[in-house]
Amino acid sequence: KRMSDRGWTVTALDFNPHTAEQVARRYGLRTLSGTLPHPEVADASFDMVVMGASLEHVHCPHEVVGAAGRALRPGGRFVAVVPNFAAVAFRWFGVDWWPLDPPRHLLHFTPATMRRLMAMHGLEVEELRAIPHGSWMRRSLANRRGRLWQPGGRRGLTALSKMRLAASLMARWTDWVGQGDGLRVIARRSETARLKAAA
């Protein structure tokens, strides 16, 4: 909706038909039900494909990213945001790291695996950045507190998990060291991919 308000011609896509219908009705956007590849998404028909918090939920990321790359016009951008499996918070919290989120999250990505995935589908990475999430840090702290057996330690972490400032400072530190909980990639459809498609 924000992109539409800024003048973009937007097509929304969601696997849930009810959600797609609600988005179309509420925001007045062209909305498709399903996933990529999709019969109503033509090759070279979009300037940008955005996937926020979705790649970690799919069974076949190569199929989805490949279809996204084909949907891009020459010079088009692919933007995705996923949890960062290389995040320092994952090392701190282990199974209590909130973005693990089983069984809804089927896959996890690191900067290296995200770069490989983009390259395999003719997408040249322009930006790959770890991003902090204070709310994810709070939820990870809340998950961890239930696993501590020492009463004093548990009380301390319970208090800490409720402190927005502490979680925010921890998230900022992960940003400072470049190991935040999320990953954002911006990649461009490469000239080589266009030439291969034309051949």
Side-chain angles (χ1 to χ4, degrees):
K1 178 67 166 70
R2 289 195 298 268
M3 292 175 81
S4 177
D5 289 345
R6 292 181 180 201
W8 291 76
T9 301
V10 174
T11 298
L13 178 67
D14 195 277
F15 71 93
N16 185 314
H18 175 73
T19 299
E21 181 185 325
Q22 294 297 314
V23 168
R25 185 180 316 134
R26 182 172 178 181
Y27 298 112
L29 301 175
R30 175 183 182 232
T31 308
L32 305 176
S33 176
T35 187
L36 291 175
H38 193 283
E40 292 185 55
V41 175
D43 288 355
S45 59
F46 286 88
D47 294 309
M48 183 175 289
V49 174
V50 178
M51 293 184 184
S54 58
L55 270 180
E56 64 271 25
H57 296 274
V58 304
H59 290 88
C60 302
H62 287 286
E63 212 173 273
V64 172
V65 173
R70 290 189 301 274
L72 290 170
R73 293 187 180 105
R77 298 316 197 264
F78 174 78
V79 180
V81 178
V82 296
N84 178 15
F85 202 58
V88 68
F90 174 62
R91 295 197 297 277
W92 290 344
F93 295 109
V95 296
D96 295 319
W97 187 53
W98 186 78
L100 278 179
D101 200 16
R104 296 186 322 124
H105 289 181
L106 305 176
L107 303 165
H108 286 283
F109 301 91
T110 66
T113 58
M114 185 59 78
R115 282 187 186 280
R116 273 201 307 273
L117 180 61
M118 297 298 106
M120 291 173 77
H121 297 284
L123 297 166
E124 296 175 348
V125 173
E126 293 184 329
E127 177 185 308
L128 182 61
R129 184 178 186 280
I131 50 180
H133 288 281
S135 63
W136 292 9
M137 193 68 70
R138 285 195 307 277
R139 291 171 177 166
S140 297
L141 284 164
N143 286 348
R144 171 55 59 90
R145 75 185 185 204
R147 294 182 180 274
L148 296 180
W149 294 101
Q150 296 88 0
R154 183 170 179 169
R155 279 196 301 272
L157 268 184
T158 299
L160 186 60
S161 71
K162 293 179 180 176
M163 293 174 59
R164 289 180 182 269
L165 178 60
S168 175
L169 290 172
M170 291 169 76
R172 283 177 191 235
W173 185 83
T174 66
D175 187 35
W176 182 66
V177 297
Q179 296 179 5
D181 279 332
L183 274 181
R184 180 181 64 227
V185 62
I186 301 173
R188 183 175 57 83
R189 186 174 176 193
S190 71
E191 184 67 33
T192 307
R194 294 198 302 275
L195 292 173
K196 284 182 183 174

